Amino acid sequence: CTLLELLLGGDWACGENHGGALAEVARHLAPRVRLAEREALYEVARLAARDMEAASAVWLACTTAVRARCRRGGRRRDDPPPP
């Protein structure tokens, strides 16, 4: 999946209140983003089983910067290498 496909999948999971799907998407996206975002995505995966409202809020907060980079099409030196 591309980053944008993963982001859309996570958005869908949040909208449908599907914790299992959100956790799966977060785990797939985590290795492809910066460290701070990665840690937040692992938190999303952990929260998704217990508290979808909190998981969705963390998802939105941590994916905002990822979305901005996707729109710019730019990478920085500290971005992890693509898979």
Side-chain angles (χ1 to χ4, degrees):
C1 291
T2 68
L3 286 176
L4 289 176
E5 289 169 334
L6 290 169
L7 292 167
L8 287 173
D11 292 344
W12 173 87
C14 288
E16 294 296 318
N17 203 34
H18 197 299
L22 182 59
E24 186 71 18
V25 169
R27 284 191 291 268
H28 281 285
L29 183 59
R32 301 173 69 177
V33 298
R34 295 178 183 157
L35 181 59
E37 295 154 351
R38 186 175 314 137
E39 291 171 353
L41 286 167
Y42 287 132
E43 178 69 5
V44 167
R46 187 183 67 75
L47 284 169
R50 295 189 331 252
D51 185 351
M52 270 301 288
E53 187 174 332
S56 296
V58 175
W59 169 264
L60 179 60
C62 75
T63 58
T64 299
V66 177
R67 292 172 199 283
R69 284 196 305 279
C70 286
R71 283 192 294 271
R72 284 194 318 265
R75 291 180 45 81
R76 291 180 8 185
R77 282 181 291 157
D78 58 338
D79 284 343

